[in-house]
Amino acid sequence: MMKLAIIGYGYWGPNLTRNFHNTPDCQVKWVLDLSEKQRLRVRSTYPNIHTTDRIEDVIHDHEVDAVVIATPVYTHFDLASRALKAGKHVLLEKPMTSTKDEAVALIELARKHDRVLMVDHTYLYTPAVQRMKQYVDEGLLGHIRYVDSTRINLGLFQTDVNVLWDLAPHDISICRHLLGERPISVQAVGVSHTENNLENIAFLTLFYPENRIAHFNCSWISPVKIRQMLVGGDEKMLVFNDLETTEKLRIYDKGYSVLPESDRDRILVDYRTGDIMIPKIPQFEALAELAKDFRDAVLHGKEPVSDYLSGLEVVEILEAADQSIKQKGREILL
Amino acid sequence: MMKLAIIGYGYWGPNLTRNFHNTPDCQVKWVLDLSEKQRLRVRSTYPNIHTTDRIEDVIHDHEVDAVVIATPVYTHFDLASRALKAGKHVLLEKPMTSTKDEAVALIELARKHDRVLMVDHTYLYTPAVQRMKQYVDEGLLGHIRYVDSTRINLGLFQTDVNVLWDLAPHDISICRHLLGERPISVQAVGVSHTENNLENIAFLTLFYPENRIAHFNCSWISPVKIRQMLVGGDEKMLVFNDLETTEKLRIYDKGYSVLPESDRDRILVDYRTGDIMIPKIPQFEALAELAKDFRDAVLHGKEPVSDYLSGLEVVEILEAADQSIKQKGREILL
Amino acid sequence: MMKLAIIGYGYWGPNLTRNFHNTPDCQVKWVLDLSEKQRLRVRSTYPNIHTTDRIEDVIHDHEVDAVVIATPVYTHFDLASRALKAGKHVLLEKPMTSTKDEAVALIELARKHDRVLMVDHTYLYTPAVQRMKQYVDEGLLGHIRYVDSTRINLGLFQTDVNVLWDLAPHDISICRHLLGERPISVQAVGVSHTENNLENIAFLTLFYPENRIAHFNCSWISPVKIRQMLVGGDEKMLVFNDLETTEKLRIYDKGYSVLPESDRDRILVDYRTGDIMIPKIPQFEALAELAKDFRDAVLHGKEPVSDYLSGLEVVEILEAADQSIKQKGREILL
Amino acid sequence: MMKLAIIGYGYWGPNLTRNFHNTPDCQVKWVLDLSEKQRLRVRSTYPNIHTTDRIEDVIHDHEVDAVVIATPVYTHFDLASRALKAGKHVLLEKPMTSTKDEAVALIELARKHDRVLMVDHTYLYTPAVQRMKQYVDEGLLGHIRYVDSTRINLGLFQTDVNVLWDLAPHDISICRHLLGERPISVQAVGVSHTENNLENIAFLTLFYPENRIAHFNCSWISPVKIRQMLVGGDEKMLVFNDLETTEKLRIYDKGYSVLPESDRDRILVDYRTGDIMIPKIPQFEALAELAKDFRDAVLHGKEPVSDYLSGLEVVEILEAADQSIKQKGREILL
């Protein structure tokens, strides 16, 4: 049995609480939130969960095995450090921290205290991404040449982070998961239409070895909502449309082969276009899977899917993207 | 009556020939093509049109008022120079030339010989773009904050130009037409998957004054065909989906206002979301409109919509984009 | 304050319970279900609600003002009669009863005991249908000429009623609400692919005065889910697509006028095709509105939207449809 | 070499002329049309084709092997009779004739004179319908339980036939082609909103042995254009959406099995839902295939796909549908 404290009961906290509440061998003992109104909401829904607004209540409770931190990013480092030092396992909301240095410091703390440190990249646990990962691992798509993702809508302007820190962690963590490779460099541009100069439209590019490329289009001011990722392999190509309810993935038997020099007259490549397959994918809640993964990491030492290296890479890339945006798109080596 | 010669009867030449053939006060006298097979095709469709494979036949024919050049880009400068020097008006296929210097030289020639020099940016004559232009001019969208275009599909790999030179002229010329403003700088990234190192995926960003931005996603290796342009104004936003047959434009009464400092507690902006309007748009062939525009420029001195400055700007931006791609996304000032 | 008992906690009962639980001035005192498992579910979610499997507990409880009956259709008459005779107000799940005679008998009982008798045609309370009703009442569509609804998917085969009794009540009640008129006659065909001879595909037609027609296509064995209703007026036409999340209604400025005899040469009608408007519609839960409507009927004597005459008409039409199906489509006068 | 005369150069005649003109071993010698304007159009497009407004010119020309009749339905019988009696092979536009008796009489004439008599059900030659036929013949769909087609839009009101005679021949001929079986009876309803009492909305049902059913929804006054046919088999189900350009067919691995009596508790059927497959289908013009089929029937005695029995069945069913509509949906045995 793992006893947990959830820190932060704002937008995502209720989902975390509900899922850990329903996970076997897990007990949510505490929910911490600074707002009395939110604490009241917790108690009326879960009469057995304790609430508090003091981090000490959680840190000093020896029964608490693990804390789940779903507060604004700039608070992550302080809260997670204190928890790790107190011997608690930690699950951090994405993005992991505000800077790469903070992420590295947390990782060192976790290693030193031999605690689990995990980051909530929920998307990695969705049925669609799991199926994509399976296709990639089986070689169905062949060698992946590019990823092109569009994640735009009329979204809430954040006041502490720009649109990339808000939306791109999903795409970056999925790319890492699928490609199993670290980008060489990062490049980004964006604009802000508010006085705080936080970008509300931004375009991020990751360069990989062998001319692989990933490009993410993120916006809070699009009239239409789009959640679409193209994954282009040299065998097949895949489209992941997360707004579809039952047809999230489409596999296209479509592609081209570069012709050998001798065969070329005026055409360079040979095209192939065939059937499209829309696989039936099971439906389950990704966050429930993540909760189980964290539990198994804590109780049984299992290696989690959404590990701290994934969290670190996301922060590294976002930090580099900020630098690149300031320099109007200059490439930043990782 | 304007007498024309069409040079090049490959992919686009037949469309140009058919449209000028059907335009009142126009007579296609010559079609020039190096392939006997293509010349035969011309004669069987249009028994009254002369065919040749020699540029001299066209240039030295004093009856010919104007030439229309639809050959590969690298031949544009030479053919257009000779035509202008021979006193012919010239309509050039897009992109206008291979370099900015060539474009400037042609413009000077046209001015010196007082001839019309026009570039075929057909999109500017489409019913949808004309309607968009009308909306922008009437102020329906308010101040335009961004343009975001996706123009991707499994397309023919060109052997002489990269994907931006192939596809982006459409987006660049539409942007110039709608915004009526010149970008300050250009930034682009891309990758090639062929030995000739011509990019088959590329992302181009234009920076304008006052944090306006335009971004174009161009690809020849997408499994899905997308032709979508978002135009975000501070009053309304518009989506142009060119693959729709009868619903190409959607006007969204959607947007946000930045709140004055005093009103802000934790939210920065105020959101608005209302009805969507899909206007009925007339259906006509854009190329027929362009043919009439060229004719009126030649015969009546009318200022054409798709003028040489538009052609020049496209080439300047593409040249800068090539430089930027080589430097992995560095900003190039125009 | 109105105290209620919910009878039946199967598919729809939990939704009724939750909504009445959340409605001001309403208190769900009892939930009755024959299954101990379901009663347990009730008590764990709502510790303050009493549960029972005996109708007498509810009927004889003098505190209970109203009962909500969400059991299989064939039990409606008996349960509702007993409740009305005991002086309870009654809300019945749709369809109201198994036969027209039962419906008439219940209405007489309700009148005699001066109790509210209402039927749960939830669709009438949805934002989309309310907006459609408003458009019709304002005359936006002009005179309605036809309604054409498709309500098909791979659905659960019922074991006691055919597909029309399952799905058509929605369409019939919406039609009555919009047209404000009673059909003259009914015609239906259908087939069964199971041994119980209950139709799993059926097509129902209602004939109205002045050549108005309504047609409903209902199926449990369609590979695709469709929930689409066309409403054709002589001014404008409307499409209601209930599977859309934010674009449920589309108003088409499309139609035709019959030309006067003198103007006709070979064409009979004059066509009109214009803009399409997609209105922004508020989002709320229809069942919460229905709960308030029932409460206001009980506590304040308000005339409910989904009244017993609507319930009666649905049953009359379904009964006639069954007769017509048996006679392979013969018209049945109402 | 087969020499033809095309009779009628209105809506469909130009397509027939162009396709037969391009078919090897075919020569269009005559086009007959009553309008001088249309005859002029023919001569300017095809300088070698003779034109006339007199049927005698065609009938008495001994070089003419076959006539193609694309005139209004009520003229079919007279024109085809004269052509057959003069020893010409005949291809008739759909529907074949105005009545079943006329169709039977033409068939007898064709047999007596040993001439080919074929009906232009173009849809049978489309790539999508050919593929559907192949799937059915291979047993991919299993036993077909139902066909459900919607063929609606804001269409031209015909002045001589109702909407079923205009649109349903497509569906009826496809059904016959796929099911290979004759319906037992026919049932239809419809309404007219014009003074000539020709229905502009109509619903047609065909009853087949073993509870197979086909239902066609035809309308000239729908705001949206829909061309969708569902084919439900007990192995798989298929959707044919003719408005899609590259994804016309979808095969759903979806269905249900009726459970044996012993397995039933409360559920009657067992559901199955799996992948969806969108086959790549070749693109070609159906009318070109039909022209070749007619040529091969005339020159080589090949049995044509769209034979006179298909034409006869369509007319029989439409005649029965008219009777049924007059009797408000009564079943008419064939």
Side-chain angles (χ1 to χ4, degrees):
Chain A
M1 173 64 70
M2 168 171 76
K3 295 200 177 179
L4 299 106
I6 310 287
I7 302 183
Y9 201 75
Y11 169 65
W12 199 239
N15 294 327
L16 288 161
T17 306
R18 175 172 50 81
N19 275 284
F20 276 107
H21 180 75
N22 293 333
T23 301
D25 295 328
C26 287
Q27 183 198 325
V28 179
K29 183 171 179 189
W30 291 97
V31 168
L32 181 156
D33 198 278
L34 300 181
S35 144
E36 169 58 18
K37 196 176 136 206
Q38 293 300 81
R39 295 198 301 273
L40 206 66
R41 239 179 98 198
V42 173
R43 291 194 303 270
S44 82
T45 317
Y46 307 98
N48 298 324
I49 296 183
H50 301 274
T51 62
T52 179
D53 60 350
R54 291 167 20 99
I55 181 73
E56 292 76 16
D57 291 347
V58 165
I59 298 289
H60 298 155
D61 182 342
H62 293 298
E63 279 194 356
V64 169
D65 302 299
V67 302
V68 177
I69 299 172
T71 55
V73 186
Y74 64 85
T75 67
H76 284 190
F77 176 71
D78 180 51
L79 291 169
S81 302
R82 295 175 70 176
L84 287 167
K85 285 174 184 164
K88 313 300 187 199
H89 303 280
V90 170
L91 170 63
L92 271 168
E93 205 33 54
K94 61 93 200 160
M96 185 181 184
T97 53
S98 298
T99 66
K100 177 186 164 186
D101 289 348
E102 287 178 355
V104 168
L106 285 186
I107 291 170
E108 282 168 3
L109 266 180
R111 284 179 176 158
K112 183 175 155 198
H113 294 274
D114 196 21
R115 298 288 90 178
V116 171
L117 175 63
M118 205 174 127
V119 182
D120 176 11
H121 294 134
T122 320
Y123 256 101
L124 305 187
Y125 297 87
T126 57
V129 173
Q130 289 193 356
R131 182 63 66 90
M132 284 163 77
K133 171 72 170 159
Q134 173 195 327
Y135 290 148
V136 170
D137 288 353
E138 291 169 1
L140 182 77
L141 305 184
H143 179 69
I144 310 249
R145 293 179 181 282
Y146 73 90
V147 173
D148 179 6
S149 178
T150 305
R151 192 174 293 276
I152 64 178
N153 63 306
L154 189 64
L156 202 65
F157 281 53
Q158 305 289 319
T159 54
D160 56 342
V161 293
N162 68 16
V163 69
L164 286 184
W165 286 78
D166 183 30
L167 301 179
H170 300 308
D171 298 303
I172 300 170
S173 60
I174 294 171
C175 265
R176 180 186 148 87
H177 194 53
L178 295 183
L179 302 182
E181 192 179 34
R182 191 179 152 79
I184 297 167
S185 63
V186 168
Q187 181 279 330
V189 293
V191 288
S192 171
H193 297 119
T194 48
E195 287 166 17
N196 63 11
N197 288 324
L198 290 170
E199 288 76 19
N200 46 286
I201 296 182
F203 307 96
L204 171 59
T205 307
L206 309 184
F207 295 104
Y208 291 87
E210 294 178 52
N211 289 329
R212 270 185 182 191
I213 196 168
H215 184 260
F216 311 136
N217 179 342
C218 296
S219 171
W220 288 328
I221 56 167
S222 165
V224 282
K225 183 171 185 176
I226 302 178
R227 294 283 180 271
Q228 181 180 270
M229 180 180 270
L230 314 184
V231 181
D234 57 10
E235 292 293 332
K236 288 189 197 287
M237 302 190 191
L238 180 152
V239 178
F240 169 28
N241 183 346
D242 200 28
L243 299 186
E244 288 281 342
T245 47
T246 58
E247 305 188 1
K248 287 186 189 290
L249 296 185
R250 282 174 157 241
I251 319 293
Y252 289 78
D253 185 8
K254 240 182 179 178
Y256 67 94
S257 322
V258 178
L259 292 176
E261 203 68 38
S262 57
D263 290 2
R264 284 187 212 162
D265 182 14
R266 289 181 52 191
I267 43 160
L268 205 60
V269 296
D270 192 33
Y271 299 90
R272 190 184 71 250
T273 167
D275 298 344
I276 302 167
M277 208 268 290
I278 301 175
K280 160 87 177 158
I281 292 176
Q283 300 205 337
F284 51 76
E285 187 169 2
L287 201 49
E289 296 297 297
L290 177 132
K292 283 186 253 168
D293 204 29
F294 184 54
R295 177 201 63 193
D296 293 346
V298 168
L299 298 184
H300 312 303
K302 180 187 168 290
E303 194 65 37
V305 170
S306 181
D307 60 12
Y308 56 60
L309 292 178
S310 177
L312 171 63
E313 189 172 304
V314 167
V315 173
E316 267 191 280
I317 288 172
L318 292 173
E319 205 173 69
D322 279 353
Q323 286 179 50
S324 181
I325 288 174
K326 284 207 193 80
Q327 299 174 66
K328 293 270 182 171
R330 203 167 69 79
E331 180 188 24
I332 307 294
L333 293 173
L334 284 189
Chain B
M1 174 64 70
M2 167 169 77
K3 296 199 177 178
L4 300 105
I6 310 286
I7 301 182
Y9 202 75
Y11 169 66
W12 198 239
N15 293 327
L16 289 161
T17 305
R18 175 172 50 80
N19 276 283
F20 276 107
H21 179 75
N22 293 332
T23 301
D25 296 328
C26 286
Q27 184 198 323
V28 179
K29 183 169 180 190
W30 291 98
V31 169
L32 182 156
D33 198 277
L34 299 181
S35 144
E36 168 58 18
K37 195 177 136 206
Q38 292 302 81
R39 294 198 301 274
L40 206 65
R41 237 181 99 198
V42 173
R43 290 194 303 269
S44 82
T45 317
Y46 306 98
N48 299 327
I49 296 182
H50 301 274
T51 61
T52 179
D53 61 349
R54 291 166 21 99
I55 183 71
E56 292 74 17
D57 290 347
V58 165
I59 298 290
H60 298 156
D61 181 342
H62 294 297
E63 278 195 355
V64 169
D65 302 299
V67 302
V68 178
I69 299 171
T71 54
V73 186
Y74 64 86
T75 66
H76 284 190
F77 176 71
D78 181 52
L79 291 168
S81 303
R82 293 175 70 176
L84 287 167
K85 284 174 186 165
K88 312 300 187 198
H89 303 280
V90 170
L91 169 63
L92 271 169
E93 205 32 55
K94 62 93 200 162
M96 185 182 185
T97 52
S98 297
T99 67
K100 177 187 163 186
D101 290 347
E102 286 178 356
V104 168
L106 284 187
I107 291 171
E108 282 167 3
L109 264 181
R111 283 180 177 158
K112 181 174 155 196
H113 293 275
D114 194 22
R115 298 289 90 178
V116 170
L117 175 63
M118 205 172 127
V119 181
D120 176 11
H121 294 134
T122 320
Y123 255 101
L124 305 187
Y125 297 87
T126 56
V129 173
Q130 289 192 357
R131 182 62 65 91
M132 284 163 76
K133 172 71 171 159
Q134 174 195 327
Y135 289 148
V136 170
D137 288 353
E138 291 169 0
L140 181 78
L141 305 183
H143 180 69
I144 309 245
R145 293 180 181 282
Y146 73 90
V147 173
D148 180 5
S149 178
T150 305
R151 192 174 294 277
I152 64 178
N153 63 305
L154 190 65
L156 203 64
F157 280 52
Q158 306 289 318
T159 54
D160 56 343
V161 292
N162 69 15
V163 69
L164 286 184
W165 286 77
D166 183 30
L167 300 179
H170 299 308
D171 298 302
I172 299 171
S173 60
I174 294 172
C175 265
R176 178 185 150 86
H177 194 52
L178 295 183
L179 301 182
E181 192 180 35
R182 189 179 154 80
I184 298 167
S185 63
V186 168
Q187 181 279 330
V189 293
V191 289
S192 171
H193 296 118
T194 49
E195 288 167 15
N196 63 11
N197 288 325
L198 290 169
E199 288 76 18
N200 47 286
I201 296 182
F203 307 98
L204 171 59
T205 307
L206 309 184
F207 295 103
Y208 291 87
E210 294 178 52
N211 289 329
R212 270 184 181 191
I213 196 169
H215 185 261
F216 312 135
N217 178 341
C218 297
S219 171
W220 287 329
I221 57 167
S222 165
V224 281
K225 183 171 185 176
I226 301 179
R227 293 282 180 271
Q228 181 180 270
M229 180 179 272
L230 312 185
V231 181
D234 55 11
E235 292 291 333
K236 286 187 199 288
M237 301 191 192
L238 181 151
V239 178
F240 169 29
N241 183 345
D242 200 29
L243 300 186
E244 288 281 341
T245 47
T246 59
E247 305 188 1
K248 287 185 188 291
L249 296 185
R250 283 176 155 238
I251 319 292
Y252 290 78
D253 185 8
K254 238 182 180 179
Y256 68 93
S257 322
V258 177
L259 291 176
E261 202 69 37
S262 57
D263 290 2
R264 285 186 211 163
D265 181 15
R266 290 180 51 190
I267 42 161
L268 205 61
V269 297
D270 191 34
Y271 298 90
R272 191 185 69 251
T273 167
D275 297 344
I276 302 166
M277 209 267 290
I278 302 175
K280 160 87 178 158
I281 293 176
Q283 300 204 338
F284 51 75
E285 187 169 2
L287 201 50
E289 296 298 296
L290 177 134
K292 282 187 255 169
D293 205 30
F294 184 55
R295 176 201 65 193
D296 293 345
V298 168
L299 297 183
H300 312 303
K302 179 184 168 293
E303 194 66 35
V305 168
S306 182
D307 60 12
Y308 55 60
L309 292 177
S310 177
L312 171 63
E313 189 173 302
V314 167
V315 173
E316 266 190 281
I317 288 172
L318 292 173
E319 206 174 70
D322 279 353
Q323 285 178 50
S324 181
I325 288 173
K326 283 206 194 80
Q327 299 174 66
K328 291 274 184 170
R330 203 167 70 78
E331 181 188 23
I332 306 294
L333 293 172
L334 284 188
Chain C
M1 174 64 70
M2 168 170 76
K3 296 199 177 179
L4 300 105
I6 310 286
I7 302 182
Y9 202 75
Y11 170 66
W12 199 239
N15 293 327
L16 289 161
T17 305
R18 176 172 50 79
N19 275 284
F20 277 107
H21 180 74
N22 292 333
T23 301
D25 296 327
C26 287
Q27 184 199 324
V28 179
K29 183 169 178 191
W30 290 98
V31 169
L32 182 156
D33 199 277
L34 300 182
S35 143
E36 169 58 19
K37 196 175 136 207
Q38 292 301 82
R39 294 198 303 271
L40 206 66
R41 238 180 100 199
V42 174
R43 290 194 303 268
S44 82
T45 317
Y46 307 98
N48 298 325
I49 296 183
H50 301 275
T51 61
T52 179
D53 61 349
R54 291 167 19 100
I55 182 70
E56 292 74 16
D57 291 347
V58 165
I59 297 290
H60 298 155
D61 181 341
H62 294 297
E63 277 194 358
V64 169
D65 301 300
V67 302
V68 178
I69 298 172
T71 54
V73 186
Y74 65 85
T75 66
H76 284 190
F77 176 70
D78 180 51
L79 291 169
S81 302
R82 294 175 69 176
L84 286 167
K85 285 175 185 165
K88 313 302 187 196
H89 302 280
V90 169
L91 171 62
L92 271 169
E93 205 34 55
K94 62 92 199 162
M96 186 181 184
T97 52
S98 297
T99 66
K100 179 187 162 187
D101 289 347
E102 287 178 355
V104 169
L106 285 185
I107 290 171
E108 281 168 4
L109 264 181
R111 284 180 177 159
K112 181 176 156 197
H113 293 274
D114 195 22
R115 298 289 89 179
V116 171
L117 174 63
M118 205 173 127
V119 181
D120 176 11
H121 295 134
T122 320
Y123 255 101
L124 304 187
Y125 298 87
T126 56
V129 173
Q130 289 192 356
R131 182 61 67 91
M132 285 164 76
K133 171 73 171 160
Q134 174 195 326
Y135 289 149
V136 169
D137 288 352
E138 290 169 0
L140 181 77
L141 305 183
H143 180 69
I144 311 250
R145 293 179 182 282
Y146 73 90
V147 173
D148 179 6
S149 178
T150 305
R151 191 174 294 277
I152 63 178
N153 63 306
L154 190 65
L156 202 65
F157 280 52
Q158 306 290 318
T159 55
D160 55 343
V161 293
N162 70 14
V163 70
L164 286 184
W165 285 78
D166 183 30
L167 301 180
H170 300 308
D171 298 303
I172 299 171
S173 60
I174 294 172
C175 265
R176 179 184 149 87
H177 194 51
L178 295 183
L179 301 182
E181 192 179 34
R182 189 179 155 79
I184 298 167
S185 63
V186 168
Q187 181 279 330
V189 293
V191 288
S192 171
H193 297 118
T194 48
E195 287 167 17
N196 63 10
N197 288 324
L198 290 170
E199 287 77 18
N200 46 286
I201 296 182
F203 307 97
L204 171 59
T205 306
L206 309 185
F207 295 103
Y208 291 88
E210 293 178 52
N211 289 329
R212 272 183 179 191
I213 195 169
H215 184 261
F216 312 136
N217 178 341
C218 296
S219 170
W220 288 329
I221 57 168
S222 165
V224 282
K225 183 172 185 176
I226 302 179
R227 294 282 180 271
Q228 181 180 271
M229 180 180 272
L230 313 184
V231 181
D234 55 11
E235 292 293 332
K236 287 187 199 289
M237 301 189 192
L238 180 152
V239 178
F240 169 29
N241 182 345
D242 200 30
L243 299 187
E244 289 281 341
T245 47
T246 59
E247 306 188 0
K248 287 185 188 290
L249 296 185
R250 283 174 156 239
I251 319 292
Y252 290 78
D253 186 9
K254 238 182 180 179
Y256 69 92
S257 321
V258 177
L259 291 176
E261 202 69 37
S262 57
D263 290 4
R264 285 187 212 163
D265 182 15
R266 290 179 51 190
I267 42 161
L268 204 62
V269 297
D270 191 34
Y271 297 90
R272 189 185 71 251
T273 166
D275 297 345
I276 302 167
M277 207 267 290
I278 301 175
K280 160 86 176 158
I281 293 177
Q283 299 204 338
F284 51 76
E285 187 170 2
L287 200 49
E289 296 297 297
L290 177 133
K292 282 187 255 169
D293 204 29
F294 184 54
R295 177 201 62 193
D296 293 346
V298 168
L299 297 183
H300 312 303
K302 179 184 169 292
E303 194 65 36
V305 169
S306 182
D307 60 11
Y308 55 61
L309 292 178
S310 177
L312 171 63
E313 189 172 305
V314 167
V315 173
E316 266 190 280
I317 289 173
L318 292 173
E319 205 174 68
D322 278 354
Q323 285 178 49
S324 181
I325 289 174
K326 284 207 193 81
Q327 299 174 66
K328 293 273 184 169
R330 202 167 70 80
E331 182 188 23
I332 306 293
L333 293 173
L334 285 189
Chain D
M1 173 65 69
M2 168 171 76
K3 296 200 177 178
L4 298 106
I6 310 285
I7 301 183
Y9 202 75
Y11 169 66
W12 199 239
N15 294 326
L16 288 161
T17 306
R18 174 172 51 80
N19 275 284
F20 277 107
H21 180 76
N22 294 332
T23 302
D25 296 328
C26 287
Q27 185 199 323
V28 178
K29 184 170 178 190
W30 291 97
V31 168
L32 181 156
D33 198 278
L34 299 182
S35 143
E36 169 58 19
K37 196 176 136 207
Q38 292 302 80
R39 295 197 301 273
L40 205 66
R41 239 180 99 199
V42 174
R43 291 193 303 269
S44 82
T45 317
Y46 306 98
N48 298 325
I49 295 184
H50 302 275
T51 60
T52 180
D53 60 349
R54 291 167 20 99
I55 182 70
E56 292 74 17
D57 291 347
V58 166
I59 297 289
H60 298 154
D61 182 342
H62 295 297
E63 279 195 356
V64 170
D65 301 299
V67 302
V68 178
I69 299 173
T71 54
V73 186
Y74 64 86
T75 67
H76 284 190
F77 176 71
D78 180 51
L79 292 169
S81 300
R82 295 174 69 176
L84 288 167
K85 285 175 184 163
K88 313 301 187 196
H89 303 280
V90 170
L91 170 62
L92 271 169
E93 205 35 55
K94 63 91 200 162
M96 186 181 184
T97 52
S98 298
T99 65
K100 178 187 161 186
D101 289 347
E102 286 178 355
V104 169
L106 285 186
I107 291 171
E108 281 168 3
L109 266 181
R111 283 178 177 161
K112 182 175 157 197
H113 293 274
D114 195 21
R115 298 290 90 178
V116 171
L117 174 64
M118 203 173 129
V119 182
D120 175 10
H121 294 135
T122 320
Y123 255 100
L124 304 187
Y125 298 86
T126 57
V129 173
Q130 290 192 356
R131 182 62 67 90
M132 284 163 76
K133 171 73 171 160
Q134 174 195 326
Y135 289 148
V136 170
D137 288 353
E138 291 169 1
L140 181 77
L141 306 184
H143 180 68
I144 311 249
R145 293 180 181 282
Y146 73 91
V147 173
D148 179 6
S149 178
T150 305
R151 191 174 293 276
I152 64 178
N153 64 307
L154 190 65
L156 202 65
F157 281 51
Q158 306 289 318
T159 54
D160 55 343
V161 292
N162 69 16
V163 70
L164 286 185
W165 285 78
D166 184 30
L167 301 179
H170 299 309
D171 298 301
I172 299 171
S173 61
I174 294 172
C175 265
R176 179 185 148 87
H177 194 52
L178 295 183
L179 302 183
E181 192 179 35
R182 189 179 155 79
I184 297 167
S185 63
V186 168
Q187 181 280 329
V189 293
V191 289
S192 171
H193 296 118
T194 48
E195 288 167 17
N196 62 11
N197 288 324
L198 290 169
E199 288 76 19
N200 47 287
I201 297 182
F203 307 98
L204 171 59
T205 307
L206 309 183
F207 296 102
Y208 291 87
E210 293 178 52
N211 289 330
R212 272 185 179 188
I213 195 169
H215 184 260
F216 312 136
N217 178 342
C218 296
S219 171
W220 287 328
I221 56 167
S222 165
V224 282
K225 183 171 185 175
I226 302 179
R227 293 282 180 272
Q228 181 180 269
M229 180 179 272
L230 314 184
V231 181
D234 57 11
E235 291 294 330
K236 287 186 199 287
M237 302 191 192
L238 180 152
V239 178
F240 168 30
N241 182 345
D242 200 29
L243 300 186
E244 288 282 340
T245 46
T246 59
E247 305 187 1
K248 288 186 188 290
L249 295 186
R250 282 174 156 239
I251 318 293
Y252 289 78
D253 186 7
K254 238 182 182 179
Y256 68 93
S257 321
V258 178
L259 292 176
E261 202 70 38
S262 57
D263 290 3
R264 283 187 212 162
D265 182 15
R266 290 180 52 189
I267 42 160
L268 204 62
V269 296
D270 192 34
Y271 298 91
R272 190 184 71 251
T273 166
D275 298 344
I276 301 166
M277 208 268 290
I278 301 175
K280 160 88 177 157
I281 293 176
Q283 300 204 336
F284 52 75
E285 188 169 1
L287 200 49
E289 296 299 295
L290 177 133
K292 282 187 256 168
D293 205 30
F294 183 55
R295 176 201 63 193
D296 293 346
V298 168
L299 298 183
H300 312 303
K302 180 186 168 292
E303 194 65 36
V305 169
S306 181
D307 59 12
Y308 55 60
L309 292 178
S310 177
L312 170 63
E313 189 173 304
V314 167
V315 173
E316 266 190 281
I317 288 173
L318 292 173
E319 206 174 68
D322 279 353
Q323 286 178 48
S324 182
I325 288 175
K326 285 207 193 80
Q327 299 174 64
K328 292 272 183 169
R330 203 166 69 79
E331 181 188 23
I332 307 294
L333 293 172
L334 286 188

